[in-house]
Amino acid sequence: MSLRMSSLDPDEPRAMKDCRTCNRRRIKCDRSLETCRKCALKGLPCPGYGLRIRWGQGVASRGKLSGKALPILEPAPASYHIDAKPAISTTSSSVRLNATSLAQDSVTSRPSLDFQENDLQSTPTASEPHVVNDGLRNAFHPVHDRNTIHNKFGVNLDLRSYRLPDYLQPSVVRDLIHYYDHVVAAVMPWVDGPDNAWRTIMLPLAMESESLLLAILALSAEHYSSKIGSTWSAEGGPLSVRYRDQSVQLLAQNLRRELTEDQTAAHQGPACAMLATILVLCNLEMIRCDSAVWHVHWKAARTITRRWTSSHYPRPMLDSGFKFLIKEAFVYDVFGSSTTFDNEDQIPSSVLTDEDPQLFSQWLQLVQEVTIVERRRHANMPVDQYLMHSADMKLLQRRFKEATNSSLLINRDLKFGSQGLQSDIVTLLRIYQEAGLLYSYQALLGPNESALARSGCVESIVNSVRLIQNLNVFQHDLVWPLFLVGTESRNKPSRQKFAESGLLEAMRSTAFSNCRPALEFLRRFWTMDEPVVADWIQFGRQESERGLNFLVI
């Protein structure tokens, strides 16, 4: 049944413009919030109406900008009634950048963000006077209490020691930073601890970068809303949307400026902050379960990471902050590439330096290698002779064993507080060893050739998950292994239930909803007959052609 705007409640808030999916399909969008109902009815990913960065190729035919990939800010229509003013002043349409506009952008002042202390309201446009709204002074949900939410690893930054813009000094900002420090940061790394860089590096860096700070505030507000079930809002809508749009707008300006200036300085603080902002925005969209927007930020992370680690530019002495961010970009790329099939260039594993080995580094490199071989084979592209040997089952087993042993050596020097946690980390490493093997068998070997080995991997993963003593601490690490168990669960109801309940629990405990598209994918896959769809990778390619991509991380 067709969904027409005339049949909808006229008092319901509407976006000013159609969503991008409806535009692409050349149909009239119903413009409902937060996402289009027509997309939902068709089972299509809806990117919504918010600000996004996309990457344009060939902005100039000659000169130093020739062929460069640069960010383009796609403006958001107003998020509420059609006659409402936009929360952020943007250009009226999406404009492909050229050399002239880039030169102008590099000297254009950033958008006005004229907030007064203890006030939260929509960012005024250039012609709009600042209006104080007393009803927004206590926008934070009343159940929050900084004294009751405590993580022993929190860094507890004293914001009074930093010079922040006036509009980022009310108590709601301090509460958001505290919530990020004590709650959100705990589920970002493999294992939380005193050296969790999502705290120790990201928070001080955010105090120097307005776009990164805004992204962290948006992430914190969205996570709180997802966890508590209560929207953190102010006039004009959710604070997470407000902060996200402001962050994206500043990020686009910074990227355009950075990519047109002297490349020898590209590795310094501003570049570090930009990559950090993109990674935080990736995580924000994972909470919101918006794979369409996450994919845009992922491409941005790929682009700038490849650019700033390219051999074409001078390689500086990377500080610990930049090394951490590059590794995180690589982590997202490895997992994102395993479930998407667009064959774009991945971030090379060479970005991980041997001088700074970390948990799972060797494992990640090996999984990326498997993905590259599978994609090249499917596209009938030549595969490096060394990579061809990856299809040897015994060699795969040996290499994943070596990756696990490498992580076990690193784990000896890590301190997480209790013997039980150390034991769980060892179990987690074993789980990933089996999950990596299972994925490799699925990607590189025939179904009949690898059936017995795959079955053994699944049983090992299931049994090991049940051995973890502190499941709440490691729940977010089990998503990829649980997904792979699900891919081997066709016609096995008990195993389906195990994978399904594990993914649901991961979403409940972490408040990240990115597992939902993966779970929906598995449910569709379980209904497919084996003669029609041989395996989940074949089914994933078919789904990807329909625009149904998903992330498992």
Side-chain angles (χ1 to χ4, degrees), residues 120-397:
L120 290 167
Q121 63 180 57
S122 298
T123 305
T125 61
S127 60
E128 185 179 5
H130 176 74
V131 179
V132 175
N133 189 321
D134 291 334
L136 301 177
R137 295 184 185 275
N138 298 307
F140 192 82
H141 196 275
V143 302
H144 179 78
D145 183 350
R146 274 179 264 172
N147 296 321
T148 60
I149 299 179
H150 177 72
N151 186 314
K152 64 181 180 180
F153 301 124
V155 296
N156 299 309
L157 288 183
D158 184 356
L159 299 189
R160 294 173 299 181
S161 303
Y162 299 91
R163 296 185 62 183
L164 301 179
D166 287 343
Y167 80 101
L168 290 178
Q169 293 182 11
S171 60
V172 64
V173 171
R174 292 192 293 273
D175 285 338
L176 281 166
I177 293 296
H178 179 272
Y179 184 79
Y180 173 88
D181 186 12
H182 289 259
V183 180
V184 181
V187 298
M188 303 297 279
W190 295 97
V191 187
D192 194 14
D195 299 323
N196 181 351
W198 286 95
R199 290 191 191 93
T200 61
I201 290 176
M202 295 293 260
L203 282 175
L205 185 60
M207 297 300 106
E208 302 173 3
S209 167
E210 193 170 337
S211 63
L212 175 56
L213 180 55
L214 285 164
I216 285 178
L217 294 175
L219 174 65
S220 188
E222 189 68 32
H223 189 277
Y224 179 88
S225 298
S226 178
K227 189 80 171 175
I228 307 300
S230 177
T231 302
W232 207 337
S233 62
E235 181 181 322
L239 286 177
S240 61
V241 175
R242 173 100 50 81
Y243 288 139
R244 178 203 64 191
D245 287 355
Q246 292 168 345
S247 175
V248 168
Q249 189 167 7
L250 289 173
L251 174 64
Q253 291 179 0
N254 293 337
L255 281 168
R256 291 196 298 265
R257 186 179 301 113
E258 183 71 24
L259 296 177
T260 56
E261 292 180 351
D262 182 11
Q263 297 305 317
T264 60
H267 296 279
Q268 305 310 313
C272 193
M274 282 185 278
L275 181 53
T277 301
I278 291 174
L279 292 174
V280 171
L281 291 171
C282 283
N283 280 278
L284 171 62
E285 304 306 341
M286 286 161 59
I287 294 178
R288 292 153 47 86
C289 194
D290 193 338
S291 61
V293 179
W294 180 90
H295 203 267
V296 172
H297 295 312
W298 174 31
K299 286 184 177 180
R302 271 183 163 181
T303 299
I304 66 174
T305 302
R306 286 200 306 265
R307 179 184 181 85
W308 291 333
T309 58
S310 170
S311 60
H312 296 294
Y313 299 107
R315 272 189 163 275
M317 295 295 293
L318 299 181
D319 61 21
S320 59
F322 211 94
K323 288 179 181 178
F324 158 71
L325 293 168
I326 288 174
K327 190 205 170 189
E328 287 301 311
F330 184 70
V331 169
Y332 288 121
D333 204 39
V334 170
F335 284 109
S337 298
S338 71
T339 56
T340 54
F341 303 89
D342 51 16
N343 292 321
E344 292 188 14
D345 291 335
Q346 298 183 30
I347 297 173
S349 62
S350 58
V351 300
L352 302 183
T353 60
D354 295 334
E355 299 82 27
D356 188 28
Q358 299 181 35
L359 279 176
F360 295 101
S361 292
Q362 192 172 333
W363 182 92
L364 289 164
Q365 292 171 315
L366 186 49
V367 168
Q368 185 196 61
E369 181 180 311
V370 169
T371 300
I372 291 173
V373 172
E374 196 282 333
R375 301 300 186 265
R376 284 182 169 272
R377 282 181 170 181
H378 181 265
N380 294 318
M381 296 172 63
V383 178
D384 186 273
Q385 190 63 31
Y386 171 73
L387 298 181
M388 282 293 293
H389 294 303
S390 294
D392 182 278
M393 191 178 297
K394 290 184 178 179
L395 178 60
L396 284 169
Q397 292 169 349

Side-chain angles (χ1 to χ4, degrees), residues 80-144:
Y80 295 94
H81 286 90
I82 293 177
D83 59 352
K85 294 180 180 180
I88 295 179
S89 176
T90 65
T91 54
S92 59
S93 62
S94 178
V95 180
R96 183 168 293 275
L97 300 179
N98 55 41
T100 303
S101 66
L102 281 168
Q104 293 171 345
D105 282 337
S106 66
V107 296
T108 301
S109 62
R110 69 185 180 195
S112 173
L113 297 175
D114 185 21
F115 282 64
Q116 299 296 322
E117 184 168 1
N118 293 326
D119 296 322
L120 290 167
Q121 63 180 57
S122 298
T123 305
T125 61
S127 60
E128 185 179 5
H130 176 74
V131 179
V132 175
N133 189 321
D134 291 334
L136 301 177
R137 295 184 185 275
N138 298 307
F140 192 82
H141 196 275
V143 302
H144 179 78

